Amino acid sequence: MKLFGSAILLFMPAMGLSAQGIRDSVELEPVVVTASHTPKTLKDAPVVTRLITLHDIKIVDATNIQDMLTQEIPGLEFGFAMTQETSLNMSGFGGNAVLFLLDGERLSGETMDNTDYSRLNLDNVGRIEIVKGASSALYGSNAVGGVVNIISRENLEPWTANANTRYNTFGNEWRNGASFSFNTEKWNSQTSFQHTKIDPVDLPKAHTSEEIAIELMKKAQGLPYDESVLSDDSNISRLFGQKTYNIKERLTFRATDRLTLIGRGGYFFRTSERDTYDYHFHAYSGGLKGRFAWDAGRHLELSYAYDQYDKANFLPDGTRTHDHDYSNQQHVAHALYSHSFGKNNLILGVDYMHDHLTTYQFLDNASHAQDNIDGYAQFDWNITDRLNVVGSIRYDYFSASARKAFTERLAVVYKIPWMTLRVNYASGFRAPTLKEMYMHFDMGNMGYMIIGNPDLEPEKSHNFNLAIERTNRIRNSGFLDGRYNFTLMGYCNIFDKRITTIEGPEYNGMESALYWNDEGITVWGIDASLGHIWDCGASFKLNYSWMKETGNVYYSDFYQPRSHSLTWRIGYEHRFSRLYALDAALSGRCQGKPQSGRTDVDQGYTIWKLMLQHHLWRGIRLNTAIDNLFNYKPKSYYYSSPLTTGTSFNIGLSVDLDQLL
Amino acid sequence: MKFKSFMTMSMVAVALVFGMSSCGDDDKDEPEAPVANQVVGSYTGTEVLTVMGEADESTETFEFTKATDVSVDVTLPKYGESMMTVPALPVKGITLTKSGNTITGKLDKYEGTVISADGSEKAYTVSDVTVIFNDKTVVMTFTQKYGNMPFAFEGVFTGAKK
């Protein structure tokens, strides 16, 4: 912490600085949509919303959502699930209890209960909104621990074109991308392409296999030996190499002043080079949306979205094995009507989703499908200029299980001159997936069955939170003159009927695990954030999260939540001349020790990152970064270790061709 | 350091034995048998397979066979019971080097396929292999990945020659 304090002091005297990303979130003027399904300024959002701005995305130079959130959100950690697929833990909730949306649309498929986060690259992303806690009354299943909504950018210049490349020494990673957009009176098009490639990374072990063998030989011969060499707690020795290709297109047609049509499409491919097989992942997405506005106060949205996610295994010689084929397709139709009555607003919505899954994990590679129908209503009642009440109710029905779920939310915002008070109750649920209902899988052909349970009930949560927020300007105080924002939120999330596996019945002489609704947990937490922009231009933000689980808590190698975590960023931006401007940020994250009390792995860690973005002539940017500035190395690698082998370096080049030509 | 001392003493002892014998008037220098010939055979002992921190110990026999004069093959014994079985996995081409009384075998990675208990062909890899032979004792460390099993087995074998 002394180091952190010193770093702040070092950056404070920066002259003529600004940091647009921090400024946006401190001044609370940007518009957000996730908390209420309707555009509201950040300061008026009924639930505390964490905003990651376009500037944040650019300065962090993150490749995908995982890189971005890791650096920005405390209480959030990405680790590994089985098969070394990425797994999320956010304030006590796993990846299947946090809903990721792309422009408000769900993504199909999962990898070990998690979205394939590498699909969510940040090319052409304008902002990311994060609402922690339950939001099922608006978004349905999976919005239990939070919603992360990734919102595309819509360039308004006549045309833009960008080409970019970046090299990272960690795994010799290359990222190459290109984007193009045009904008006319009627048409707006955004196209982006990204390719990434990372080599396998051998994680250093505390001792080589030869050193271990030598000590073993001494032990076998009755000679003195070093026991510490024989006890290495690493579970992972190699990160697999992978390549991704991601192409997206979004086309908007403003047919009339009242009618707007949006079409979108995307293709994603990832190959992960494993020890025995190569895993191939494909995703196809497309959608159409129409928005008709009768007037400023009334509009109707109709949309259809398709998303497909496939997995298959290939032998090193390129032969597809077909023993691990997986395909998930989702069709979603959606209608939303919004009607404003003066300052008040009513939203009525209905959705239909058809979910179809074929997987090797079902008996005889069978397919299963389910329909989900829901209807919801929300009333946004501005009782006075200071008092706002937002109430939502929703009903969901799932055909395969014949289960239904009612969810509701009541959010109250009260503004008093010196602060804003938010009180919120929201319920959440997660419907059992087709996999959890119908799985019939001999895990790894080892004779250990995992059996689905069609009688599973939805997981259910009740989320209460109370937040205070203050935004103000300090004048005539000398050193502190500037604008600041402070938010403190306490929450309690009661999570019940958690779906997990228990020891199942013997199946054809084999042991089994059975999906089951288990007793739940209660998650208690506090989130605090502080941002300050000095009049001289310096700025910084600090986010802290504390979390504690009680009840039926269990830990595993894959689940090691930490009670305390912290992220921070100090920004610096200055134009030195017409030909050169510097945008700099020093950020860090600190994770506390595992809540489980586990002591055989690192008790906590701090990682710093220095990012320098050099704006050169006519839209040419040189991005450099030093990650893990102080060369932190885990003492052993397990599923919740940070993905680092020490300090790494980035260098990248981005060219805005429209400015160059 | 103790190991180095032991090695030094061993080398001195070996040198003395060979030195003494070479002084004999009637003795002739006989070429040393290839290193592979010196280590082939059956070794019985304890195999410990660790997966996700859980260790499973069993008594096994590892059969080392000659591949070339300077390399050996070995078959990792099958693991598990009935349908819950990883079949025996051949590992070929462990390169041997000799230093004093100690013969060390190394292999970065071996990739193969094998027929599983249900009759299907499965790919596997055995990597990071180190084998040390000293006198009648062998120790072997390796990492084993079988089929689509999500986890690797970390294996350790300590055995004695029959």
Side-chain angles (χ1 to χ4, degrees), chain B residues 27-74:
Chain B
D27 289 347
K28 293 178 181 175
D29 287 344
E30 288 188 14
E32 189 182 39
V35 283
N37 293 36
Q38 296 174 44
V39 299
V40 294
S42 292
Y43 295 78
T44 300
T46 304
E47 183 189 39
V48 181
L49 288 174
T50 305
V51 59
M52 293 187 65
E54 296 294 323
D56 193 12
E57 187 175 309
S58 60
T59 300
E60 304 289 351
T61 296
F62 279 46
E63 180 82 25
F64 288 89
T65 58
K66 181 177 174 179
T68 68
D69 282 352
V70 291
S71 66
V72 291
D73 301 338
V74 68

Side-chain angles (χ1 to χ4, degrees), chain B residues 1-122:
Chain B
M1 290 302 291
K2 285 178 179 172
F3 179 74
K4 281 188 180 171
S5 301
F6 169 73
M7 292 290 292
T8 307
M9 293 301 291
S10 302
M11 289 170 71
V12 169
V14 169
L16 283 173
V17 168
F18 281 95
M20 294 285 279
S21 58
S22 63
C23 290
D25 294 334
D26 300 328
D27 289 347
K28 293 178 181 175
D29 287 344
E30 288 188 14
E32 189 182 39
V35 283
N37 293 36
Q38 296 174 44
V39 299
V40 294
S42 292
Y43 295 78
T44 300
T46 304
E47 183 189 39
V48 181
L49 288 174
T50 305
V51 59
M52 293 187 65
E54 296 294 323
D56 193 12
E57 187 175 309
S58 60
T59 300
E60 304 289 351
T61 296
F62 279 46
E63 180 82 25
F64 288 89
T65 58
K66 181 177 174 179
T68 68
D69 282 352
V70 291
S71 66
V72 291
D73 301 338
V74 68
T75 298
L76 305 180
K78 76 171 187 179
Y79 171 75
E81 294 173 359
S82 63
M83 292 293 286
M84 196 170 173
T85 302
V86 176
L89 305 176
V91 181
K92 296 181 180 179
I94 301 170
T95 306
L96 303 172
T97 54
K98 185 171 183 180
S99 174
N101 267 3
T102 301
I103 296 172
T104 302
K106 299 282 287 181
L107 178 66
D108 284 342
K109 189 177 186 182
Y110 180 77
E111 294 175 319
T113 56
V114 71
I115 303 302
S116 69
D118 66 3
S120 60
E121 188 179 48
K122 296 289 174 191

Side-chain angles (χ1 to χ4, degrees), chain A residues 472-484 532 534-535:
Chain A
N472 203 6
R473 166 165 283 283
I474 301 174
R475 292 187 177 89
N476 305 319
S477 295
F479 174 70
L480 286 175
D481 280 3
R483 195 171 183 83
Y484 70 90
H532 194 115
W534 282 265
D535 287 342

Side-chain angles (χ1 to χ4, degrees), chain A residues 82-83 205 209-210 213-214 216-218 220-221 275-277 279 313 323-324 444-447 557-558 639, chain B residues 3 52 84 86 106 118 122-125 128 130 132 134 137 139 141 145 147-151 154 156 158:
Chain A
M82 280 192 270
T83 75
K205 285 188 170 182
S209 62
E210 189 166 356
I214 287 169
L216 278 170
M217 179 58 82
K218 289 181 190 174
Q221 293 180 327
D275 286 331
T276 48
Y277 298 95
Y279 291 8
N313 282 10
D323 63 347
H324 268 62
N445 296 100
M446 282 288 293
D557 271 359
F558 308 107
Y639 299 95
Chain B
F3 179 74
M52 293 187 65
M84 196 170 173
V86 176
K106 299 282 287 181
D118 66 3
K122 296 289 174 191
Y124 69 93
T125 59
D128 217 8
T130 299
I132 298 178
N134 190 296
T137 305
V139 295
T141 60
K145 193 87 188 286
N148 284 299
M149 281 180 60
F151 309 107
E154 299 291 338
V156 166
T158 307

Side-chain angles (χ1 to χ4, degrees), chain A residues 93 97 133-146 405-409 425-431 458-463 493-496:
Chain A
F93 292 91
S135 291
S136 289
L138 281 180
Y139 296 104
S141 182
N142 301 79
V144 176
F406 283 104
T407 43
E408 54 282 316
R409 185 171 77 185
Y425 163 75
S427 55
F429 78 98
R430 185 178 78 81
E459 295 176 334
K460 194 89 170 107
S461 78
H462 300 279
N463 179 213
N493 210 336
I494 301 165
F495 186 33
D496 200 13

